[in-house]
Amino acid sequence: MLLSPEDIGAIWLTLKLASLVTLLLILISTPIAWWLTRTQSWLKGPINAIVAMPLVLPPTVLGFYLLLLLGPQGFIGKLLGQLGITPLPFSFTGLVVASMVYSLPFVVQPIQNAFASIGEGPLEAAATLRASPWDRFVHVVIPLAKPGYISAAILGFAHTVGEFGVVLMIGGNIPNETRVISVQIYDHVEALEYGQAHSLSLLMIAFAFTVLVFLYSIQKRQRSSTMSGGLL
Protein backbone atom coordinates (compact mmCIF):
# COMPACT_ATOMS: atom_id res chain seq x y z
CA MET A 1 0.00 0.00 0.00
CA LEU A 2 1.48 3.32 -1.10
CA LEU A 3 0.53 6.42 0.83
CA SER A 4 1.00 9.90 -0.56
CA PRO A 5 2.34 12.77 1.57
CA GLU A 6 -1.23 14.07 1.71
CA ASP A 7 -2.41 10.71 3.06
CA ILE A 8 0.26 10.70 5.75
CA GLY A 9 -0.62 14.28 6.66
CA ALA A 10 -4.29 13.30 7.01
CA ILE A 11 -3.34 10.33 9.20
CA TRP A 12 -1.24 12.43 11.56
CA LEU A 13 -3.90 15.15 11.73
CA THR A 14 -6.55 12.54 12.54
CA LEU A 15 -4.42 11.01 15.31
CA LYS A 16 -3.71 14.47 16.73
CA LEU A 17 -7.41 15.35 16.67
CA ALA A 18 -8.55 12.06 18.20
CA SER A 19 -5.92 12.20 20.96
CA LEU A 20 -6.77 15.77 21.96
CA VAL A 21 -10.53 15.18 21.79
CA THR A 22 -10.27 12.01 23.89
CA LEU A 23 -8.19 13.73 26.58
CA LEU A 24 -10.55 16.71 26.80
CA LEU A 25 -13.63 14.48 26.82
CA ILE A 26 -12.27 12.36 29.67
CA LEU A 27 -11.82 15.52 31.74
CA ILE A 28 -15.23 16.96 30.83
CA SER A 29 -17.17 13.69 30.98
CA THR A 30 -16.02 12.75 34.49
CA PRO A 31 -18.06 15.41 36.37
CA ILE A 32 -20.98 14.96 33.97
CA ALA A 33 -21.04 11.19 34.47
CA TRP A 34 -20.64 11.52 38.25
CA TRP A 35 -23.50 14.02 38.49
CA LEU A 36 -25.75 11.84 36.32
CA THR A 37 -24.94 8.82 38.47
CA ARG A 38 -25.57 10.50 41.82
CA THR A 39 -28.30 13.08 41.22
CA GLN A 40 -32.00 12.65 41.89
CA SER A 41 -32.85 15.90 40.08
CA TRP A 42 -35.58 16.00 37.47
CA LEU A 43 -32.94 17.39 35.14
CA LYS A 44 -31.24 14.00 34.94
CA GLY A 45 -33.54 12.79 32.16
CA PRO A 46 -33.17 15.85 29.92
CA ILE A 47 -29.40 16.03 30.47
CA ASN A 48 -29.07 12.33 29.67
CA ALA A 49 -31.06 12.93 26.49
CA ILE A 50 -28.90 15.89 25.47
CA VAL A 51 -25.70 13.89 26.04
CA ALA A 52 -27.05 10.96 24.00
CA MET A 53 -28.44 13.00 21.09
CA PRO A 54 -25.35 12.54 18.87
CA LEU A 55 -26.12 8.81 18.92
CA VAL A 56 -29.33 9.32 16.96
CA LEU A 57 -28.87 12.62 15.11
CA PRO A 58 -27.46 12.44 11.57
CA PRO A 59 -23.92 13.87 11.67
CA THR A 60 -24.80 16.42 8.99
CA VAL A 61 -27.66 17.77 11.11
CA LEU A 62 -25.39 18.12 14.12
CA GLY A 63 -22.66 19.67 11.98
CA PHE A 64 -25.10 22.12 10.37
CA TYR A 65 -26.34 23.53 13.66
CA LEU A 66 -22.84 23.64 15.10
CA LEU A 67 -21.80 25.58 12.00
CA LEU A 68 -24.60 28.09 12.60
CA LEU A 69 -23.86 28.32 16.33
CA LEU A 70 -20.09 28.71 15.98
CA GLY A 71 -20.13 30.86 12.84
CA PRO A 72 -19.61 34.63 12.84
CA GLN A 73 -23.38 35.26 13.07
CA GLY A 74 -24.03 32.51 15.61
CA PHE A 75 -24.51 33.02 19.34
CA ILE A 76 -21.14 31.56 20.33
CA GLY A 77 -19.45 32.98 17.25
CA LYS A 78 -20.54 36.52 18.16
CA LEU A 79 -19.32 36.10 21.74
CA LEU A 80 -15.94 34.87 20.52
CA GLY A 81 -15.78 37.72 18.03
CA GLN A 82 -16.27 40.25 20.82
CA LEU A 83 -13.32 38.63 22.61
CA GLY A 84 -11.18 38.98 19.51
CA ILE A 85 -11.20 35.26 18.74
CA THR A 86 -11.48 34.24 15.11
CA PRO A 87 -14.50 32.15 14.07
CA LEU A 88 -14.15 28.45 14.84
CA PRO A 89 -15.57 26.94 11.62
CA PHE A 90 -12.96 25.76 9.11
CA SER A 91 -10.21 25.62 11.72
CA PHE A 92 -8.60 22.85 13.74
CA THR A 93 -10.00 24.33 16.95
CA GLY A 94 -13.50 24.21 15.50
CA LEU A 95 -12.87 20.62 14.51
CA VAL A 96 -11.94 19.80 18.11
CA VAL A 97 -15.10 21.43 19.48
CA ALA A 98 -17.37 19.68 16.96
CA SER A 99 -15.67 16.32 17.54
CA MET A 100 -16.12 16.66 21.29
CA VAL A 101 -19.84 17.23 20.88
CA TYR A 102 -20.14 14.34 18.42
CA SER A 103 -18.18 11.85 20.55
CA LEU A 104 -19.49 12.97 23.95
CA PRO A 105 -21.91 10.04 24.58
CA PHE A 106 -19.23 7.50 23.68
CA VAL A 107 -17.16 8.76 26.61
CA VAL A 108 -19.81 9.79 29.14
CA GLN A 109 -21.84 6.57 29.04
CA PRO A 110 -19.01 4.05 29.77
CA ILE A 111 -17.80 6.22 32.65
CA GLN A 112 -21.35 6.65 33.94
CA ASN A 113 -21.92 2.88 33.82
CA ALA A 114 -18.65 2.31 35.66
CA PHE A 115 -19.63 4.78 38.39
CA ALA A 116 -23.06 3.18 38.75
CA SER A 117 -21.56 -0.32 39.11
CA ILE A 118 -19.46 0.72 42.12
CA GLY A 119 -22.45 1.03 44.44
CA GLU A 120 -22.58 2.66 47.84
CA GLY A 121 -20.59 0.09 49.80
CA PRO A 122 -17.04 1.25 49.01
CA LEU A 123 -18.01 4.90 49.49
CA GLU A 124 -19.66 4.21 52.85
CA ALA A 125 -16.62 2.22 53.98
CA ALA A 126 -14.33 5.11 53.04
CA ALA A 127 -16.63 7.56 54.82
CA THR A 128 -16.38 5.56 58.04
CA LEU A 129 -12.60 6.08 57.81
CA ARG A 130 -13.27 9.82 57.68
CA ALA A 131 -12.27 10.21 54.05
CA SER A 132 -13.48 13.46 52.55
CA PRO A 133 -15.76 13.42 49.49
CA TRP A 134 -12.79 14.39 47.32
CA ASP A 135 -10.63 11.63 48.80
CA ARG A 136 -13.41 9.10 48.29
CA PHE A 137 -13.75 10.13 44.67
CA VAL A 138 -10.03 10.19 43.86
CA HIS A 139 -8.89 7.15 45.85
CA VAL A 140 -11.98 4.92 45.67
CA VAL A 141 -14.21 5.83 42.74
CA ILE A 142 -11.57 6.54 40.08
CA PRO A 143 -9.56 3.31 40.65
CA LEU A 144 -12.71 1.17 40.72
CA ALA A 145 -13.97 2.86 37.54
CA LYS A 146 -10.71 2.25 35.65
CA PRO A 147 -12.24 -0.29 33.19
CA GLY A 148 -14.92 2.24 32.32
CA TYR A 149 -12.30 4.90 31.67
CA ILE A 150 -10.36 2.54 29.40
CA SER A 151 -13.51 1.70 27.43
CA ALA A 152 -14.44 5.39 27.23
CA ALA A 153 -10.98 6.35 25.95
CA ILE A 154 -11.00 3.62 23.31
CA LEU A 155 -14.52 4.39 22.10
CA GLY A 156 -13.98 8.15 22.12
CA PHE A 157 -10.72 7.88 20.20
CA ALA A 158 -12.07 5.40 17.65
CA HIS A 159 -15.28 7.34 17.10
CA THR A 160 -13.37 10.55 16.50
CA VAL A 161 -11.08 8.83 14.01
CA GLY A 162 -14.05 7.51 12.03
CA GLU A 163 -16.24 10.62 11.89
CA PHE A 164 -17.00 12.26 8.54
CA GLY A 165 -20.19 14.32 8.34
CA VAL A 166 -19.50 16.60 11.29
CA VAL A 167 -15.85 17.26 10.42
CA LEU A 168 -16.73 18.03 6.81
CA MET A 169 -19.47 20.48 7.83
CA ILE A 170 -17.35 22.28 10.45
CA GLY A 171 -13.82 21.81 9.17
CA GLY A 172 -14.25 21.70 5.45
CA ASN A 173 -11.34 20.29 3.48
CA ILE A 174 -8.18 22.24 4.29
CA PRO A 175 -4.89 20.31 3.91
CA ASN A 176 -2.90 19.93 7.15
CA GLU A 177 -5.61 21.87 9.00
CA THR A 178 -8.94 20.05 8.79
CA ARG A 179 -8.52 17.30 6.17
CA VAL A 180 -8.74 14.11 8.23
CA ILE A 181 -8.60 10.51 6.98
CA SER A 182 -12.30 10.19 6.20
CA VAL A 183 -12.27 13.37 4.13
CA GLN A 184 -9.08 12.27 2.39
CA ILE A 185 -10.74 9.00 1.37
CA TYR A 186 -13.70 10.96 0.04
CA ASP A 187 -11.33 13.13 -2.01
CA HIS A 188 -9.65 10.06 -3.49
CA VAL A 189 -12.99 8.57 -4.50
CA GLU A 190 -14.13 11.85 -6.07
CA ALA A 191 -10.90 11.94 -8.07
CA LEU A 192 -11.37 8.26 -9.07
CA GLU A 193 -8.13 7.40 -7.24
CA TYR A 194 -9.46 4.08 -6.06
CA GLY A 195 -6.03 2.60 -5.29
CA GLN A 196 -5.22 5.28 -2.73
CA ALA A 197 -8.78 5.13 -1.40
CA HIS A 198 -8.30 1.39 -0.92
CA SER A 199 -5.06 1.94 0.98
CA LEU A 200 -6.57 4.35 3.49
CA SER A 201 -9.81 2.37 3.77
CA LEU A 202 -7.94 -0.85 4.55
CA LEU A 203 -6.01 0.99 7.25
CA MET A 204 -9.31 2.15 8.74
CA ILE A 205 -10.72 -1.39 8.63
CA ALA A 206 -7.63 -2.78 10.35
CA PHE A 207 -7.80 -0.02 12.96
CA ALA A 208 -11.50 -0.63 13.65
CA PHE A 209 -10.97 -4.39 13.95
CA THR A 210 -8.04 -3.95 16.35
CA VAL A 211 -9.97 -1.48 18.50
CA LEU A 212 -13.00 -3.78 18.77
CA VAL A 213 -10.93 -6.86 19.61
CA PHE A 214 -9.08 -4.89 22.30
CA LEU A 215 -12.33 -3.48 23.71
CA TYR A 216 -14.04 -6.90 23.84
CA SER A 217 -11.01 -8.45 25.52
CA ILE A 218 -11.10 -5.75 28.21
CA GLN A 219 -14.81 -6.30 28.76
CA LYS A 220 -14.28 -10.08 28.96
CA ARG A 221 -11.56 -9.66 31.60
CA GLN A 222 -13.80 -7.26 33.49
CA ARG A 223 -16.66 -9.77 33.53
CA SER A 224 -14.32 -12.55 34.61
CA SER A 225 -12.95 -10.38 37.40
CA THR A 226 -16.46 -9.47 38.55
CA MET A 227 -17.53 -13.11 38.61
CA SER A 228 -14.41 -14.13 40.52
CA GLY A 229 -15.01 -11.37 43.05
CA GLY A 230 -18.61 -12.51 43.45
CA LEU A 231 -17.53 -16.11 44.09
CA LEU A 232 -15.04 -15.00 46.69
Side-chain angles (χ1 to χ4, degrees):
M1 294 189 299
L2 297 178
L3 299 176
S4 67
E6 291 79 10
D7 293 340
I8 295 174
I11 291 172
W12 282 115
L13 182 65
T14 303
L15 294 176
K16 175 184 174 182
L17 174 67
S19 299
L20 181 57
V21 167
T22 302
L23 176 60
L24 293 174
L25 278 180
I26 290 291
L27 296 175
I28 292 172
S29 298
T30 295
I32 295 175
W34 183 244
W35 183 83
L36 289 172
T37 303
R38 307 289 294 179
T39 187
Q40 300 297 323
S41 170
W42 66 271
L43 289 172
K44 180 176 181 177
I47 297 299
N48 259 323
I50 291 173
V51 169
M53 281 185 72
L55 294 173
V56 296
L57 277 179
T60 49
V61 172
L62 184 62
F64 172 67
Y65 283 107
L66 284 174
L67 183 62
L68 294 180
L69 187 64
L70 300 176
Q73 302 304 316
F75 176 72
I76 295 179
K78 287 182 178 179
L79 289 179
L80 295 177
Q82 293 174 357
L83 297 174
I85 301 175
T86 56
L88 295 182
F90 310 111
S91 69
F92 180 77
T93 303
L95 212 58
V96 171
V97 173
S99 298
M100 288 174 61
V101 174
Y102 187 48
S103 295
L104 182 65
F106 292 87
V107 178
V108 170
Q109 291 184 356
I111 297 176
Q112 184 179 348
N113 292 336
F115 286 163
S117 67
I118 294 173
E120 295 293 333
L123 295 174
E124 291 173 353
T128 61
L129 298 175
R130 297 185 179 180
S132 67
W134 176 252
D135 286 334
R136 294 198 295 270
F137 183 76
V138 172
H139 298 293
V140 177
V141 174
I142 296 297
L144 290 176
K146 182 179 177 181
Y149 274 98
I150 295 174
S151 296
I154 294 172
L155 288 173
F157 187 91
H159 192 252
T160 303
V161 167
E163 64 191 43
F164 174 71
V166 169
V167 298
L168 190 60
M169 293 288 286
I170 293 294
N173 190 356
I174 305 173
N176 300 318
E177 181 72 21
T178 63
R179 184 187 291 171
V180 294
I181 292 177
S182 57
V183 177
Q184 183 73 1
I185 293 173
Y186 179 77
D187 283 350
H188 283 319
V189 174
E190 274 202 323
L192 302 180
E193 298 168 348
Y194 290 153
Q196 290 177 288
H198 270 304
S199 298
L200 281 178
S201 297
L202 288 174
L203 281 178
M204 293 290 286
I205 291 172
F207 170 77
F209 178 79
T210 303
V211 165
L212 290 173
V213 169
F214 186 53
L215 182 61
Y216 289 146
S217 66
I218 290 176
Q219 292 175 342
K220 183 179 179 180
R221 287 198 298 268
Q222 184 180 2
R223 286 194 298 267
S224 300
S225 176
T226 302
M227 292 178 64
S228 299
L231 291 175
L232 292 176

